[in-house]
Amino acid sequence: MQGRGMEPLDIRRARVTDGFWMRAMELVRTQVIPYQWAALNDRVEGAEKSWWMHNMRAAARAIQRRKAGQWQPRTGEAAFVSQPAGAPDPDRFYGWVFQDSDGYKWLEAVSYSLMTHPDPALQATAQEAVDAIRAAQEDDGYLDTYYTLNGIDRRFTNLKDHHELYCFGHLTEAAVAWRQATGRDDLLETAVRFADCIAAHIGPGEGQKRGYPGHEIAEMALVRLWQETGEERFLRQAAYYVNERGREPNYFAEEIRRSREAGVEQSDWGAAGRYAYYQAHKPVRDQDEVLGHAVRAMYLYSGAADVARLTGDEALRAACDRVWHSTVSEKMYITGGVGATHVGEAFSLPFDLPNDAAYSETCAAIGLVFFARRMLQLKPDSRYADVMELALYNTVLAGMALDGQSFFYVNPLEVNPAACHADERLQHVKPVRQKWFGCACCPPNIARTVASLSAYAWSQTPDVLYTHLYVAGEVDAALNGQPLRLKFDAGLPWQGEVTVTVTGGEAEGVLAFRKPGWAREAEITIPAGFQLEEKDGYWHVSGPWKPGDTVRIALPLPVRAVAAHPAVREDAGLAAFMRGPVVYCAEEKDNGPALHLLRVKPAEAAAAAETEETEIGGLPVTALVLPAARESAGENASLYRDWQPPVTVPVRLKLIPYFAWANRGEGEMRVWLRTE
Amino acid sequence: MQGRGMEPLDIRRARVTDGFWMRAMELVRTQVIPYQWAALNDRVEGAEKSWWMHNMRAAARAIQRRKAGQWQPRTGEAAFVSQPAGAPDPDRFYGWVFQDSDGYKWLEAVSYSLMTHPDPALQATAQEAVDAIRAAQEDDGYLDTYYTLNGIDRRFTNLKDHHELYCFGHLTEAAVAWRQATGRDDLLETAVRFADCIAAHIGPGEGQKRGYPGHEIAEMALVRLWQETGEERFLRQAAYYVNERGREPNYFAEEIRRSREAGVEQSDWGAAGRYAYYQAHKPVRDQDEVLGHAVRAMYLYSGAADVARLTGDEALRAACDRVWHSTVSEKMYITGGVGATHVGEAFSLPFDLPNDAAYSETCAAIGLVFFARRMLQLKPDSRYADVMELALYNTVLAGMALDGQSFFYVNPLEVNPAACHADERLQHVKPVRQKWFGCACCPPNIARTVASLSAYAWSQTPDVLYTHLYVAGEVDAALNGQPLRLKFDAGLPWQGEVTVTVTGGEAEGVLAFRKPGWAREAEITIPAGFQLEEKDGYWHVSGPWKPGDTVRIALPLPVRAVAAHPAVREDAGLAAFMRGPVVYCAEEKDNGPALHLLRVKPAEAAAAAETEETEIGGLPVTALVLPAARESAGENASLYRDWQPPVTVPVRLKLIPYFAWANRGEGEMRVWLRTE
């Protein structure tokens, strides 16, 4: 366990009471978790079917029948199996090849919720899911309903696209959380057995397949499994995946060749890009530019940062640094969204960040949150936390409606509903959130992220407690082995006064508080006689802490006008507005249609902006009202005419937080506004 | 023949000597026509194969063998047949289902060239093509190598997608031109026999298929066939196609149903849009908005305008008017390009005119030229001619390199080569012209259009000669039956002094000269004692014309800054520059990279613009040099930062004609420039 350095706070040691975040967490607990359970059991009217429980039960039966010699596997290699006309076949796999993972993500979210909000009824429901999973596990530990139902002999022959190791990763994340929440070993045992089954087939040893996940996450998950069990072999397997990836001969190319030799056609999607779609175009430690499928990439580099930290691998750490730079300096939306193109749900060229055709998948922003936290663990620099916060407050939250009942997969920064409906080039962009997707990665991913917020807000080394996000709540920290209870009072993102009070325990050590990048004029007040040092964007306050000690932090929240790098063509001549970590947008509901005709003088508008307390979907939010001009819509103008200075009228522009958009019906939306 | 009204000038009555256009016509004659002949015979190294002559010869052999009972047809329904590894099968159809049409378009271009530039060697080569076509015709007149080779019993079962009537249309256009050029009836007889074969199967009669072309052009072609032969049945068939289209029950839906009943899968592409892709979503006379595949649409409405004029059908004429308005007032690029989306090569929503993702197919602009000329024939209003001229000088010419050796299918208004190469969303956009396409509609279509320029420049009623385009040359007109020879001196698009001199004959009547929409300050000087009347954008000059009579027209060519309608989101805050009919663009070659950082004050820049005579690809062109500002590229800027007024440096911006872009290597290009 040496060299672990900074670890996120154990969720069980925090109690979030924050008005803003509690609402999201309560939505997850009271709306999303029950809704998703219904979805996993195909009980949501009008939503695409999940098939999760169906597949688990079918697999369990198949295993029993196979033992009794009564099972004839189907042989299909389709990544998606749709329900035929008529009733579903109870013994058949349906849905996407990665469908198992949806239930695992749900279980993980449930576990975080149980940690802070015990609920015997919910735990009993979750136990049903755990039992179903366990029943679907093969005797040798293998667990993937797709192959159990479609031909167990074909398992591990399409690591590239068939997601067995991805499902394993989500299972493991769930198993660790489930044990931490309930103390129960059952799902962890399942995960360990699957891990050992995989490691028996895939690895660097003789006779093994030198493969690695087509969709990463197992790397991060194995690290957690190591941390939970103390079994070094799991860390070694994680390191093996990271180190083997992208080496020549390319495993995916080999896999396709072998598959075709066996008479099974396998897609060579990504071959032209040398499998950059899968981040397998060259060894991870040689990578510079972030490429390919955005969720895959974020999950990989999260795992790679874990491995770099835990094995002291400096070359790998340097690669993570380079890729981080490529991500946040060239390929990230102002909302913390990543993956600009729907083609392959992928990163586009540097600085190619279209607003209306954006992909910016919710899960990719969640992946960026994971990556950022792990970069923070490598080095506590507030710039990583700035990005983590940006993605959380904007794209991750935007992914879920304010009633917790519908979700965005894609998060555009500009929407014209008429174009979304009629233009097939924008068919991935939805102007309103959807109930549930056949490919439902985002809703349960939002749930597990929001439910584990405290693991992002705070982290610990033996002698330092870091506060990354100012979330109201109570924390049981430990400094140099001495317990210390802290109370955080905060009202972000709407107001910036933070008070941290020691409410119990006495300890020597450092409380480190992030000075957000957006808070240039931030001030801190510390107890008399304490030491204050500013380092890498954190105030390090050291002292002998005792009850009653108070730290006050003032984070002014002026409205800021923001410009993008001049290389971002799509944002040339445009400005966006932020306040604290929150990105704002204009909606048609407040400002009428044709938002592209609105123009602002950015600096003047920011200075003159007024805040307006309002409510959207039941959530109190701070809106902004600022001076702008609206160009004439020229209804009777000809298509082309002699240029004339545009005729404008002054208007009061109302902006709302981006995460709250599309909660008041369908309409235009725009983050980046034209300047004058 | 009553009610014909205005007809284009017979090409044989004009001799174009215009420096600008002669160069393009000579390129067609000396480069394009020989090159395309080589392509049709698959003799161009490195170009995709045409298979045209291959298919003709294979079909001719198949017909003979079938008669001898020695032919087993293939049964394939693929719209494209690719060459397998190894040598091609000499008896097999290859290429697209519409491949026959490429040779017909070539023959049409050859014919126009022969009309004004007799060339026995070329005529002999063309005769080879004519003979090959005739040999491939079935005894009952049917002529389509795809079905002759793949199963003649399946003919006319997929009018929607299999282009038999499209190929017929191009054959007919070629046949009429070939007869006019050579006096030979051979190809016309072939076309007439095919027309009669089609009419025997498709039409309003009992037992006939109530079908119509999936890809229109037969409508226009049948009108020409009627004009050339005087046989009314061809005009009736054209009117039938226009009138039947889009009626319920929808023929294409019926065809799919029948095809599936016969066990042949047929794509239902377009079904969701009720076949608007094919302009078959409702009866033509009920249509308002221009929809669907842009070339199909332009060809349809061209034919519909012909039918409306020739049958005096006012309701159809009104529909043509509405669709024209939809096209040019809501869906046309400033370059005269139409069809904004690559999805279906189609019209997008009103005012959706993206510059970098534009489709704007060369053939669609050619179709717009056809449509415009036919609207002019319905009513001589210079606004139609303005559009015709715009499309010709900009998109049609841009389709061909200045050396006549490579071609654009897609004509973007903004190009970033790096994005075109890496971004699959832009895979249809090529930053440099291509040699020859497998789907090679555009090159021969450019050839036949340019070669027949005089039919667009002038048209005639019995007592009026209309001049639509100012092209230097000589014309043998006839006013009220009296011959009149005219000489046109003009230097457009670079200089605007036009002189028209009567050089022979004496006649009473009107010479009508277009006052271009771009020439607000135009002036005309007429012989003393003549009458001058301005009507619908034409100066009508009447007098007793005699040799030596001279009309002088001064068309000032100031540089104009142009704005798009405020509803065009993609052009908000942007300006383009024109001079006369020519649209200008900035290229990286002259202005460095990152053209999106250039800003102009449109009115001031236009006023201060200087012309610069230069040469591009051997063509003398007038470039523009105007004051602009370049924003800092901010190399070391962060991706997002506090908005600051952009730092700019003054620059001299050089603009070249849009049609001349991409003739000096690969680089950025931009028509619409940011304003300040």
PDB file of all heavy atoms in Angstrom, chain B residues 323-339:
ATOM      1  N   VAL B 323     -42.073  27.735 -55.795  1.00  0.00           N
ATOM      2  CA  VAL B 323     -40.867  26.952 -55.536  1.00  0.00           C
ATOM      3  C   VAL B 323     -39.619  27.774 -55.887  1.00  0.00           C
ATOM      4  O   VAL B 323     -38.604  27.695 -55.193  1.00  0.00           O
ATOM      5  CB  VAL B 323     -40.909  25.620 -56.310  1.00  0.00           C
ATOM      6  CG1 VAL B 323     -39.577  24.911 -56.198  1.00  0.00           C
ATOM      7  CG2 VAL B 323     -42.032  24.740 -55.785  1.00  0.00           C
ATOM      8  N   TRP B 324     -39.716  28.562 -56.924  1.00  0.00           N
ATOM      9  CA  TRP B 324     -38.599  29.437 -57.274  1.00  0.00           C
ATOM     10  C   TRP B 324     -38.299  30.380 -56.099  1.00  0.00           C
ATOM     11  O   TRP B 324     -37.144  30.571 -55.703  1.00  0.00           O
ATOM     12  CB  TRP B 324     -38.923  30.255 -58.529  1.00  0.00           C
ATOM     13  CG  TRP B 324     -37.894  31.309 -58.819  1.00  0.00           C
ATOM     14  CD1 TRP B 324     -37.926  32.605 -58.414  1.00  0.00           C
ATOM     15  CD2 TRP B 324     -36.668  31.124 -59.521  1.00  0.00           C
ATOM     16  NE1 TRP B 324     -36.791  33.263 -58.825  1.00  0.00           N
ATOM     17  CE2 TRP B 324     -36.001  32.375 -59.504  1.00  0.00           C
ATOM     18  CE3 TRP B 324     -36.062  30.048 -60.161  1.00  0.00           C
ATOM     19  CZ2 TRP B 324     -34.746  32.563 -60.109  1.00  0.00           C
ATOM     20  CZ3 TRP B 324     -34.826  30.225 -60.765  1.00  0.00           C
ATOM     21  CH2 TRP B 324     -34.179  31.472 -60.734  1.00  0.00           C
ATOM     22  N   HIS B 325     -39.366  30.950 -55.573  1.00  0.00           N
ATOM     23  CA  HIS B 325     -39.192  31.873 -54.453  1.00  0.00           C
ATOM     24  C   HIS B 325     -38.550  31.165 -53.268  1.00  0.00           C
ATOM     25  O   HIS B 325     -37.625  31.673 -52.627  1.00  0.00           O
ATOM     26  CB  HIS B 325     -40.549  32.462 -54.051  1.00  0.00           C
ATOM     27  CG  HIS B 325     -40.441  33.496 -52.985  1.00  0.00           C
ATOM     28  ND1 HIS B 325     -40.569  33.187 -51.648  1.00  0.00           N
ATOM     29  CD2 HIS B 325     -40.178  34.820 -53.040  1.00  0.00           C
ATOM     30  CE1 HIS B 325     -40.398  34.284 -50.928  1.00  0.00           C
ATOM     31  NE2 HIS B 325     -40.165  35.298 -51.762  1.00  0.00           N
ATOM     32  N   SER B 326     -39.016  29.974 -52.970  1.00  0.00           N
ATOM     33  CA  SER B 326     -38.433  29.204 -51.872  1.00  0.00           C
ATOM     34  C   SER B 326     -36.945  28.954 -52.121  1.00  0.00           C
ATOM     35  O   SER B 326     -36.120  29.038 -51.209  1.00  0.00           O
ATOM     36  CB  SER B 326     -39.193  27.870 -51.742  1.00  0.00           C
ATOM     37  OG  SER B 326     -38.504  26.952 -50.942  1.00  0.00           O
ATOM     38  N   THR B 327     -36.607  28.695 -53.361  1.00  0.00           N
ATOM     39  CA  THR B 327     -35.216  28.385 -53.698  1.00  0.00           C
ATOM     40  C   THR B 327     -34.317  29.601 -53.530  1.00  0.00           C
ATOM     41  O   THR B 327     -33.309  29.543 -52.819  1.00  0.00           O
ATOM     42  CB  THR B 327     -35.119  27.877 -55.156  1.00  0.00           C
ATOM     43  OG1 THR B 327     -36.017  26.784 -55.330  1.00  0.00           O
ATOM     44  CG2 THR B 327     -33.692  27.453 -55.493  1.00  0.00           C
ATOM     45  N   VAL B 328     -34.680  30.688 -54.189  1.00  0.00           N
ATOM     46  CA  VAL B 328     -33.740  31.809 -54.255  1.00  0.00           C
ATOM     47  C   VAL B 328     -33.894  32.780 -53.083  1.00  0.00           C
ATOM     48  O   VAL B 328     -32.989  33.576 -52.835  1.00  0.00           O
ATOM     49  CB  VAL B 328     -33.845  32.579 -55.591  1.00  0.00           C
ATOM     50  CG1 VAL B 328     -33.645  31.617 -56.761  1.00  0.00           C
ATOM     51  CG2 VAL B 328     -35.157  33.329 -55.722  1.00  0.00           C
ATOM     52  N   SER B 329     -34.995  32.706 -52.366  1.00  0.00           N
ATOM     53  CA  SER B 329     -35.176  33.631 -51.240  1.00  0.00           C
ATOM     54  C   SER B 329     -34.872  33.001 -49.901  1.00  0.00           C
ATOM     55  O   SER B 329     -34.815  33.680 -48.887  1.00  0.00           O
ATOM     56  CB  SER B 329     -36.613  34.164 -51.210  1.00  0.00           C
ATOM     57  OG  SER B 329     -36.900  34.834 -52.412  1.00  0.00           O
ATOM     58  N   GLU B 330     -34.722  31.665 -49.869  1.00  0.00           N
ATOM     59  CA  GLU B 330     -34.510  30.997 -48.584  1.00  0.00           C
ATOM     60  C   GLU B 330     -33.436  29.933 -48.596  1.00  0.00           C
ATOM     61  O   GLU B 330     -32.984  29.503 -47.544  1.00  0.00           O
ATOM     62  CB  GLU B 330     -35.828  30.343 -48.117  1.00  0.00           C
ATOM     63  CG  GLU B 330     -36.964  31.335 -47.950  1.00  0.00           C
ATOM     64  CD  GLU B 330     -38.222  30.691 -47.379  1.00  0.00           C
ATOM     65  OE1 GLU B 330     -38.352  29.455 -47.453  1.00  0.00           O
ATOM     66  OE2 GLU B 330     -39.069  31.441 -46.854  1.00  0.00           O
ATOM     67  N   LYS B 331     -33.043  29.453 -49.774  1.00  0.00           N
ATOM     68  CA  LYS B 331     -32.197  28.253 -49.770  1.00  0.00           C
ATOM     69  C   LYS B 331     -31.029  28.301 -50.746  1.00  0.00           C
ATOM     70  O   LYS B 331     -30.525  27.255 -51.143  1.00  0.00           O
ATOM     71  CB  LYS B 331     -33.069  27.026 -50.078  1.00  0.00           C
ATOM     72  CG  LYS B 331     -34.199  26.815 -49.073  1.00  0.00           C
ATOM     73  CD  LYS B 331     -34.714  25.387 -49.117  1.00  0.00           C
ATOM     74  CE  LYS B 331     -35.843  25.179 -48.121  1.00  0.00           C
ATOM     75  NZ  LYS B 331     -36.240  23.761 -48.049  1.00  0.00           N
ATOM     76  N   MET B 332     -30.604  29.471 -51.145  1.00  0.00           N
ATOM     77  CA  MET B 332     -29.522  29.555 -52.135  1.00  0.00           C
ATOM     78  C   MET B 332     -28.304  30.230 -51.512  1.00  0.00           C
ATOM     79  O   MET B 332     -28.431  31.245 -50.841  1.00  0.00           O
ATOM     80  CB  MET B 332     -30.004  30.354 -53.356  1.00  0.00           C
ATOM     81  CG  MET B 332     -28.981  30.480 -54.473  1.00  0.00           C
ATOM     82  SD  MET B 332     -29.599  31.504 -55.849  1.00  0.00           S
ATOM     83  CE  MET B 332     -29.505  33.157 -55.100  1.00  0.00           C
ATOM     84  N   TYR B 333     -27.154  29.663 -51.743  1.00  0.00           N
ATOM     85  CA  TYR B 333     -25.930  30.337 -51.314  1.00  0.00           C
ATOM     86  C   TYR B 333     -25.700  31.583 -52.153  1.00  0.00           C
ATOM     87  O   TYR B 333     -26.208  31.703 -53.274  1.00  0.00           O
ATOM     88  CB  TYR B 333     -24.732  29.392 -51.455  1.00  0.00           C
ATOM     89  CG  TYR B 333     -24.685  28.327 -50.382  1.00  0.00           C
ATOM     90  CD1 TYR B 333     -25.119  27.034 -50.629  1.00  0.00           C
ATOM     91  CD2 TYR B 333     -24.206  28.632 -49.107  1.00  0.00           C
ATOM     92  CE1 TYR B 333     -25.079  26.062 -49.631  1.00  0.00           C
ATOM     93  CE2 TYR B 333     -24.165  27.672 -48.105  1.00  0.00           C
ATOM     94  CZ  TYR B 333     -24.599  26.394 -48.367  1.00  0.00           C
ATOM     95  OH  TYR B 333     -24.560  25.446 -47.377  1.00  0.00           O
ATOM     96  N   ILE B 334     -24.883  32.460 -51.631  1.00  0.00           N
ATOM     97  CA  ILE B 334     -24.562  33.686 -52.363  1.00  0.00           C
ATOM     98  C   ILE B 334     -23.876  33.384 -53.686  1.00  0.00           C
ATOM     99  O   ILE B 334     -23.880  34.187 -54.613  1.00  0.00           O
ATOM    100  CB  ILE B 334     -23.692  34.622 -51.486  1.00  0.00           C
ATOM    101  CG1 ILE B 334     -23.553  35.998 -52.124  1.00  0.00           C
ATOM    102  CG2 ILE B 334     -22.345  33.997 -51.214  1.00  0.00           C
ATOM    103  CD1 ILE B 334     -22.792  36.989 -51.262  1.00  0.00           C
ATOM    104  N   THR B 335     -23.307  32.189 -53.787  1.00  0.00           N
ATOM    105  CA  THR B 335     -22.621  31.755 -55.009  1.00  0.00           C
ATOM    106  C   THR B 335     -23.565  31.148 -56.029  1.00  0.00           C
ATOM    107  O   THR B 335     -23.103  30.638 -57.053  1.00  0.00           O
ATOM    108  CB  THR B 335     -21.597  30.670 -54.641  1.00  0.00           C
ATOM    109  OG1 THR B 335     -22.306  29.651 -53.888  1.00  0.00           O
ATOM    110  CG2 THR B 335     -20.476  31.235 -53.800  1.00  0.00           C
ATOM    111  N   GLY B 336     -24.875  31.161 -55.735  1.00  0.00           N
ATOM    112  CA  GLY B 336     -25.807  30.487 -56.636  1.00  0.00           C
ATOM    113  C   GLY B 336     -25.836  28.982 -56.441  1.00  0.00           C
ATOM    114  O   GLY B 336     -26.460  28.264 -57.220  1.00  0.00           O
ATOM    115  N   GLY B 337     -25.149  28.502 -55.412  1.00  0.00           N
ATOM    116  CA  GLY B 337     -25.191  27.071 -55.103  1.00  0.00           C
ATOM    117  C   GLY B 337     -26.467  26.739 -54.359  1.00  0.00           C
ATOM    118  O   GLY B 337     -26.982  27.560 -53.600  1.00  0.00           O
ATOM    119  N   VAL B 338     -26.976  25.543 -54.566  1.00  0.00           N
ATOM    120  CA  VAL B 338     -28.170  25.102 -53.836  1.00  0.00           C
ATOM    121  C   VAL B 338     -27.978  23.662 -53.354  1.00  0.00           C
ATOM    122  O   VAL B 338     -27.169  22.916 -53.888  1.00  0.00           O
ATOM    123  CB  VAL B 338     -29.452  25.187 -54.702  1.00  0.00           C
ATOM    124  CG1 VAL B 338     -29.855  26.631 -54.948  1.00  0.00           C
ATOM    125  CG2 VAL B 338     -29.289  24.442 -56.020  1.00  0.00           C
ATOM    126  N   GLY B 339     -28.766  23.327 -52.335  1.00  0.00           N
ATOM    127  CA  GLY B 339     -28.654  21.993 -51.735  1.00  0.00           C
ATOM    128  C   GLY B 339     -27.622  22.040 -50.635  1.00  0.00           C
ATOM    129  O   GLY B 339     -26.464  21.718 -50.839  1.00  0.00           O
TER     130      GLY B 339
END
